[in-house]
Amino acid sequence: MINSSLKKHNYPLHKIGFFCRSTQFFMQDNIRKEGTIQKTFHAIAKASKIFQRNSGFYEYIELPITTRCSLRCKECSNLIPYYQTPYDMDLEKTLQAIDTYLQCIQNVVYFRILGGEPFLSPHLGTILSKTIHSSKIQRIEIVTNGTVLPTDKNLIQLLCHPKVAISISHYSIVSTAKLENMLTQNHIRYSINAMDFWYQYGSPQKQNKSIKELKKQYKKCNHICKSIVNGSFHLCPRSGHATDLGMIQNNEEDYLDLLDQTLSIEDKKEKMKKLYQKDYIMACDYCNYGTSKCQHIPVAEQILQ
C-alpha cells in the first residue's frame, strides 16, 4: 500500500528521494577512504543513472515470496485474499528469477521482499542471503505486518546485515510491540509505516475502458512498484498477482518471463527496457487507482468470514 503522506501525482518526488538515498548508499558502499574526491564523484555519477534506465540502473523492485498471510485485508491491493490455496513461491524458480533479473540490470537501489507475510515463508533466509551477497543490490527491505516473529537464529543473523531493514506496516487492528522489541534487542534496523488510509483499488473486474482512458490512468498511477511474481517481471504487483490468479488475460506484452529459456539475456534486457516505455497495461482495466473511483478507505479492514 502507498503511504498516505504521499500524493498521487508525486512520482517525480519519489525519483528525487530515490536519487538522494541511492547517492548516500553508493557513497557508503563505494568510498573506502575518506577524502577521496574521485571516488566520491564516481559514486554520485553512478547513483544518478537511476534516471537513465537504458543504462540498466533501476530504483526499485519487489519480490513476493509467499501468498500466505496472517491477515485477510479486504482491500489488499496485491489481491492476496483471492488466493484460495495460498502457497510459498518455489525456491529454485525464485532464485533463478533473481539471477536472471540481476543479469538484466546494472544496479537496483531498493530490493523489497514481501508476501503475503514474508516471515511465514521457510525460504526467506535463503533468498535474503542471496540478495545480501549481490553487489548490484544497494538496500534490502522486508515488509511485514508485524504479527509474525522470526525465530531462526541464522535468519536473525542475516537480518542484522547493514544492507537489510524491516518495514513494519502499522495497522491499528494488531500490535507490533513484540516484533519491535525483538528487532531492537537484536540491533536490527526497522521503521514503522503508519498510514491514515488506504486507496480503494477495487475488485479485479474488467471495466472495458478505452485506450485513451487507460493511458490517462497509467500516467496518473504511482507505478514505481515493479514486481517479480512467480518468475515473471511485471510493471505492477497487481498485474502480477492478477495474472498469477488467472483473473486477467495472460498478455505476454505486459510482462517478462524471466524463466523463459528461449530468450537470451540480451533479449530479456531489451524487453525489460520496452516494458518501461509502455504507456498502459491491460491490468489497468481491472483497477481503480489513478481514476476518480479510487477513494480513501480504512486501513487493513479485515474479511470476517
Side-chain angles (χ1 to χ4, degrees):
M1 284 294 177
I2 298 169
N3 193 318
S4 59
S5 65
L6 300 175
K7 302 297 183 181
K8 288 185 181 180
H9 310 302
N10 275 3
Y11 184 69
L13 295 183
H14 282 293
K15 297 288 288 183
I16 293 171
F18 277 117
F19 170 71
C20 292
R21 297 191 101 183
S22 62
T23 301
Q24 174 190 351
F25 295 157
F26 274 118
M27 292 177 71
Q28 290 175 355
D29 296 343
N30 296 318
I31 300 172
R32 303 306 178 195
K33 296 180 181 179
E34 293 186 8
T36 307
I37 297 177
Q38 183 178 1
K39 288 187 177 181
T40 301
F41 278 100
H42 174 74
I44 295 173
K46 190 177 179 184
S48 70
K49 289 185 178 180
I50 64 170
F51 289 95
Q52 305 170 23
R53 287 172 178 153
N54 286 336
S55 299
F57 286 72
Y58 298 95
E59 68 269 41
Y60 180 97
I61 189 69
E62 61 183 43
L63 177 75
I65 61 174
T66 182
T67 63
R68 294 190 294 135
C69 193
S70 53
L71 299 177
R72 297 190 69 210
C73 298
K74 182 178 179 181
E75 294 288 346
C76 174
S77 62
N78 287 2
L79 306 173
I80 298 302
Y82 285 91
Y83 284 92
Q84 296 299 312
T85 307
Y87 68 98
D88 299 316
M89 303 298 179
D90 181 84
L91 178 58
E92 183 177 348
K93 290 182 178 180
T94 299
L95 297 178
Q96 184 182 347
I98 295 172
D99 276 335
T100 303
Y101 173 75
L102 293 175
Q103 290 180 67
C104 290
I105 69 168
Q106 292 296 320
N107 184 87
V108 61
V109 179
Y110 282 94
F111 194 105
R112 208 175 201 199
I113 299 174
L114 65 167
E117 170 50 53
F119 284 128
L120 290 175
S121 170
H123 307 316
L124 176 57
T126 303
I127 295 168
L128 186 57
S129 177
K130 184 175 188 64
T131 52
I132 284 173
H133 290 97
S134 172
S135 60
K136 292 186 176 184
I137 298 172
Q138 294 304 123
R139 286 296 183 273
I140 302 158
E141 185 175 72
I142 300 172
V143 181
T144 175
N145 60 33
T147 61
V148 180
L149 274 65
T151 57
D152 181 80
K153 292 182 179 180
N154 291 330
L155 175 58
I156 292 173
Q157 185 175 3
L158 289 169
L159 294 175
C160 295
H161 194 279
K163 282 177 70 169
V164 178
I166 311 298
S167 176
I168 302 175
S169 300
H170 181 72
Y171 306 144
S172 59
I173 59 172
V174 295
S175 172
T176 61
K178 289 184 179 180
L179 177 60
E180 291 178 50
N181 290 336
M182 175 264 171
L183 296 176
T184 300
Q185 291 171 6
N186 288 278
H187 307 288
I188 298 170
R189 294 191 307 163
Y190 73 92
S191 62
I192 304 294
N193 185 17
M195 290 166 272
D196 299 323
F197 56 82
W198 276 2
Y199 289 113
Q200 187 174 32
Y201 289 71
S203 60
Q205 297 178 344
K206 187 172 176 58
Q207 301 179 37
N208 297 312
K209 300 168 188 170
S210 67
I211 299 299
K212 182 178 179 180
E213 289 173 322
L214 292 174
K215 289 182 178 181
K216 181 180 179 181
Q217 176 184 358
Y218 191 79
K219 188 175 181 180
K220 289 184 177 180
C221 181
N222 179 29
H223 47 80
I224 201 168
C225 298
K226 308 301 183 282
S227 184
I228 299 173
V229 179
N230 217 358
S232 293
F233 171 84
H234 287 263
L235 295 173
C236 159
R238 189 177 176 90
S239 171
H241 285 290
T243 301
D244 189 42
L245 285 160
M247 291 181 162
I248 64 176
Q249 183 178 357
N250 188 3
N251 186 353
E252 294 184 358
E253 297 300 314
D254 284 354
Y255 68 90
L256 167 62
D257 183 355
L258 294 167
L259 306 179
D260 187 349
Q261 298 298 315
T262 67
L263 295 177
S264 68
I265 292 298
E266 290 304 316
D267 291 335
K268 292 173 181 177
K269 285 181 181 179
E270 287 304 311
K271 184 166 185 180
M272 185 179 292
K273 291 177 184 178
K274 290 180 179 179
L275 285 172
Y276 272 96
Q277 295 169 3
K278 290 181 73 72
D279 50 10
Y280 75 94
I281 54 176
M282 291 311 302
C284 299
D285 201 23
Y286 297 77
C287 180
N288 290 337
Y289 194 79
T291 74
S292 59
K293 293 181 180 180
C294 186
Q295 303 297 316
H296 295 171
I297 56 173
V299 173
E301 185 177 359
Q302 295 297 289
I303 299 171
L304 299 180
Q305 295 181 346

